[in-house]
Amino acid sequence: MAAYCGRACRQYLLHLAHDNVDFRLPEIKALLSLRNRPFDTSETFSEKSPFWQLNGLSEDDIRSVMSRTVCGKSSFELWGHGTTTDELRKSLLEYPAENMAPYLQQHSTYKINVYTFNKTLVFKDRIKKIDALDFLPFKGTVNLKDPEHIFCLLEDYGSDPNDIPEDPFHIYFGRWIADGQRELIRSYSVKKRHFIGNTSMDAGLSFIMANHAKVKADDLVYDPFVGTGSLLVACSHFGAYVCGTDIDYNTIHGIGKASRKNQKWRGPDENIRANLRQYGTDRLYVDVMVSDASKPLWRKTAQFDAIVTDPPYGIRESTRRTGSHKDIIKPPEDFSSGESHVPVSMAYHLSDIFADLLNFAARHLVLGGRLVYWLPIYRPEYCEEMVPLHPCLTLISNCEQTLSSHTSRRLITMEKTKEPEDSDRLSHLADPRFTPYQGHNSFREKYFSGVTKKNGKDAKATPRNKE
Amino acid sequence: MKLLTHNMLTSHVQGVTKGYPLIIKATEVKVNELEFNAQFVSRMIPKLEWKALIQAAEWLGQSQDLPSTPKPNYESVEDFLRKVHRILLEVEVVEGCLQCPESGREFPISNGVPNLLLIEDE
């Protein structure tokens, strides 16, 4: 670390949690983008590593990222690092003393933690490592319970639990700045939520989606397949006003059969508004409506800051849209009671859902606004060209979550970079890349085909919430 | 249903070209007190169809002397922003319906939730 570096050249270290690995980089990039900062790292950067060095940022930038991230565990002002203890020591001795001084004052309290990734150390070894740092000018007193300053020695022993080295591959030392928001995964757990459905999004992923979408306070966010509102819950946590629509009358009104084991019918406090009330964000509830996403009801100039959604895959909830009698061959079963009557449903082909969604986003997002949605994939046939494109939207990220050996879903993030002209509406039909996704239309068949082809663990695989 | 939403909705009945704004026929209206948020209101004002908002407020008997056009430099006129905040977010239609001004088709609102599903062939 160069001796002349002032505040501007400070490096920070992010310690990331080891789940949803593919989703981490787009999340951090999106959060930095909210601060208009680029993602700037060292040449030795490895996306799979739990430790990322970040350059060109201020402490406020870091605090801002940590106030939102569910992928980031903690953050540090990096004082030194190296691949050996000697290198670390040399690096620490080169770190400007005036940058250290404010935190090593005589009347302050501190503690040093030791964190080892992929290795467990016994207590006395941790103490040895802390003692080896006594060349640093700590003038304050150690307070393990409630110190003013926390420092951390972090050691990376690689990613292979079956081949743990004697010495770490990389060692870091820094001053702790802030923790991430992983606590939200627990406090917003779907298990404790008042109103859930079969496809309620797991809390961690719903916050990741809100972050990928760069949702911020006073935004207006829309979910066209809102279901039980889990995505709206996450977006409202970050201060956005939320609205949604769904074709299913019962889900929107919070009536009908419950999704919880041991519960037959939904209770009176089970609807989307109640969910927001549970977390204290019902002032951000705008509206939910019963409507068909394939027949949008917004005026041409209506715009949202973000569209965050999980369209149906046709497995646990069917894909439906309203349609004309002449398109139907056999009569539907649900053509019955007055109020909950869902007009004659047609299978809403998966490729149509996404084509409609992208066209909708192109028209109804603000410029710079983001669309974040899940795309179900049949893995044996997947290729990158299948991800639907649109001339007005730029693809930002594509992160896979495996559901089974032959299926997965991909979280697609797109940003509106151009206003649509009338010619754009049909241009995607001419695009050869539009047709590859057609193969997924029978996603439901392919999903279940794996069940009959293989026995054992695949036979029971379902896209279940991990909680 | 709040008037912020109503301001953005249009009739999607097939063949209709003059479906905006949807006529509000309310049988039950509620006014909730919500924490005033000046930033959000300021952001929304340029996106609103102002005439439609005034019309909607009149249908609900909630006009409260809202001006016929937004005030210039509205971001700093707190009194005005509070009025707009109230009409956009605090007034809610609990029961009633929305009517397409061209076709006459009615969409029910029950428990605050509009049902905008069209039946087949509409």
Side-chain angles (χ1 to χ4, degrees):
Chain A
M1 301 200 44
Y4 62 78
C5 262
R7 198 147 267 271
C9 312
R10 265 179 224 208
Q11 280 199 317
Y12 292 92
L13 185 75
L14 276 196
H15 174 209
L16 293 119
H18 212 59
D19 57 24
N20 293 317
V21 174
D22 285 348
F23 296 74
R24 307 183 311 188
L25 186 56
E27 197 216 30
I28 300 297
K29 279 186 172 170
L31 296 178
L32 282 171
S33 171
L34 273 174
R35 303 271 303 176
N36 287 317
R37 315 264 0 78
F39 180 81
D40 178 8
T41 186
S42 60
E43 314 90 55
T44 52
F45 173 71
S46 158
E47 197 186 325
K48 302 276 182 240
S49 162
F51 302 111
W52 294 355
Q53 288 173 52
L54 297 178
N55 306 323
L57 300 174
S58 68
E59 188 168 315
D60 280 344
D61 290 329
I62 295 293
R63 286 185 185 280
S64 167
V65 169
M66 300 315 281
S67 72
R68 291 280 303 244
T69 178
V70 289
C71 294
K73 280 176 94 156
S74 38
S75 57
F76 306 88
E77 180 182 68
L78 191 62
W79 285 14
H81 69 104
T83 55
T84 62
T85 34
D86 279 342
E87 271 184 31
L88 171 69
R89 188 192 158 94
K90 185 160 172 286
S91 172
L92 283 167
L93 289 170
E94 278 175 9
Y95 188 74
E98 63 269 21
N99 291 355
M100 286 193 193
Y103 310 103
L104 304 175
Q105 300 280 317
Q106 201 171 14
H107 300 290
S108 67
T109 56
Y110 72 98
K111 78 165 168 173
I112 301 178
N113 287 334
V114 177
Y115 176 82
T116 51
F117 179 74
N118 197 34
K119 187 168 189 161
T120 326
L121 288 187
V122 294
F123 183 70
K124 71 170 171 61
D125 287 335
R126 301 165 94 85
I127 296 299
K128 260 208 265 180
K129 287 180 191 282
I130 295 175
D131 288 342
L133 292 168
D134 60 8
F135 62 92
L136 287 173
F138 284 101
K139 295 201 193 73
T141 24
V142 173
N143 179 330
L144 297 179
K145 271 218 178 106
D146 191 20
E148 279 167 71
H149 306 298
I150 299 174
F151 300 93
C152 203
L153 179 73
L154 304 113
E155 297 189 326
D156 184 355
Y157 288 86
S159 52
D160 187 352
N162 298 314
D163 183 18
I164 303 173
E166 179 63 38
D167 295 314
F169 292 116
H170 216 113
I171 317 171
Y172 307 89
F173 182 84
R175 174 178 68 94
W176 176 79
I177 307 264
D179 283 341
Q181 302 303 307
R182 292 187 63 74
E183 165 57 26
L184 294 177
I185 298 170
R186 194 198 58 83
S187 55
Y188 273 75
S189 163
V190 169
K191 283 193 208 137
K192 306 186 232 176
R193 195 162 306 165
H194 288 155
F195 175 50
I196 60 167
N198 293 340
T199 52
S200 293
M201 183 68 54
D202 125 336
L205 285 172
S206 63
F207 286 111
I208 285 174
M209 288 176 77
N211 284 335
H212 280 208
K214 289 176 67 176
V215 166
K216 55 196 181 303
D218 301 329
D219 270 358
L220 182 60
V221 176
Y222 173 57
D223 182 350
F225 299 97
V226 71
T228 54
S230 358
L231 301 182
L232 298 190
V233 165
C235 292
S236 72
H237 177 77
F238 294 133
Y241 286 78
V242 294
C243 56
T245 54
D246 201 285
I247 201 172
D248 191 298
Y249 182 95
N250 288 345
T251 307
I252 290 288
H253 281 266
I255 56 183
K257 291 221 168 98
S259 287
R260 288 205 144 88
K261 210 171 98 156
N262 301 332
Q263 187 186 342
K264 191 124 190 264
W265 299 101
R266 290 190 164 130
D269 193 31
E270 291 190 52
N271 53 55
I272 295 170
R273 196 167 199 164
N275 278 344
L276 266 73
R277 200 176 300 128
Q278 180 181 356
Y279 302 109
T281 55
D282 54 306
R283 75 186 189 289
L284 299 169
Y285 174 90
V286 177
D287 271 305
V288 295
M289 298 178 281
V290 186
S291 114
D292 179 347
S294 72
K295 297 191 168 60
L297 23 79
W298 308 95
R299 64 165 153 81
K300 215 162 151 194
T301 45
Q303 291 198 326
F304 302 99
D305 295 292
I307 296 170
V308 183
T309 193
D310 183 20
Y313 317 151
I315 303 167
R316 284 180 293 169
E317 308 282 2
S318 56
T319 59
R320 307 185 312 216
R321 67 175 163 185
T322 55
S324 166
H325 273 290
K326 53 188 186 322
D327 295 315
I328 303 301
I329 298 150
K330 74 170 178 38
E333 304 99 51
D334 56 357
F335 195 89
S336 52
S337 58
E339 279 205 294
S340 67
H341 163 65
V342 172
V344 171
S345 300
M346 291 168 25
Y348 193 2
H349 279 178
L350 281 178
S351 56
D352 287 343
I353 292 183
F354 302 111
D356 285 349
L357 183 61
L358 267 64
N359 269 323
F360 180 86
R363 190 162 301 277
H364 294 287
L365 272 175
V366 302
L367 207 55
R370 287 191 173 188
L371 163 67
V372 177
Y373 73 94
W374 287 102
L375 185 69
I377 292 291
Y378 181 63
R379 300 177 87 207
E381 287 173 11
Y382 174 73
C383 62
E384 230 178 282
E385 286 69 35
M386 286 188 168
V387 175
L389 296 178
H390 192 288
C392 300
L393 306 171
T394 302
L395 181 65
I396 302 288
S397 62
N398 169 356
C399 309
E400 185 182 32
Q401 182 195 35
T402 310
L403 300 174
S404 73
S405 62
H406 57 289
T407 59
S408 66
R409 56 182 181 178
R410 288 179 167 267
L411 188 66
I412 307 294
T413 300
M414 304 189 88
E415 188 168 298
K416 176 169 168 177
T417 44
K418 183 164 101 77
E419 288 290 351
E421 293 143 51
D422 280 310
S423 51
D424 289 331
R425 199 182 199 294
L426 302 170
S427 65
H428 67 281
L429 292 176
D431 189 330
R433 288 188 266 200
F434 172 72
T435 36
Y437 196 75
Q438 297 273 16
H440 287 56
N441 274 338
S442 48
F443 184 71
R444 191 193 179 102
E445 282 162 33
K446 293 191 167 115
Y447 179 84
F448 287 113
S449 74
V451 174
T452 49
K453 269 188 202 144
K454 299 181 187 183
N455 293 319
K457 59 183 165 117
D458 283 323
K460 293 215 166 43
T462 50
R464 197 178 297 281
N465 292 330
K466 290 259 164 36
E467 299 187 52
Chain B
M1 183 199 66
K2 302 188 183 181
L3 295 190
L4 171 61
T5 310
H6 169 263
N7 195 263
M8 299 191 290
L9 295 177
T10 188
S11 172
H12 54 310
V13 173
Q14 259 188 60
V16 159
T17 49
K18 294 196 172 74
Y20 182 85
L22 291 163
I23 302 168
I24 309 177
K25 294 178 171 179
T27 52
E28 191 188 326
V29 176
K30 207 167 54 147
V31 180
N32 307 303
E33 224 182 275
L34 276 185
E35 202 182 307
F36 173 57
N37 182 344
Q39 285 93 298
F40 181 72
V41 181
S42 297
R43 288 195 76 226
M44 289 298 121
I45 288 174
K47 302 192 196 199
L48 298 170
E49 287 288 334
W50 193 259
K51 284 223 292 275
L53 180 68
I54 300 299
Q55 176 68 277
E58 268 168 37
W59 282 325
L60 298 184
Q62 298 279 341
S63 294
Q64 302 228 319
D65 42 77
L66 279 164
S68 54
T69 50
K71 284 210 188 306
N73 302 319
Y74 56 78
E75 298 96 329
S76 42
V77 187
E78 188 178 305
D79 193 49
F80 171 72
L81 291 177
R82 279 185 182 271
K83 286 207 179 104
V84 181
H85 185 270
R86 184 178 181 283
I87 202 68
L88 285 180
L89 298 171
E90 297 175 41
V91 175
E92 268 192 76
V93 179
V94 181
E95 301 288 330
C97 72
L98 293 169
Q99 184 178 45
C100 171
E102 192 178 314
S103 69
R105 184 12 171 132
E106 286 187 354
F107 299 94
I109 301 175
S110 83
N111 211 18
V113 176
N115 182 343
L116 298 156
L117 287 178
L118 291 168
I119 50 173
E120 37 297 339
D121 297 333
E122 274 192 287

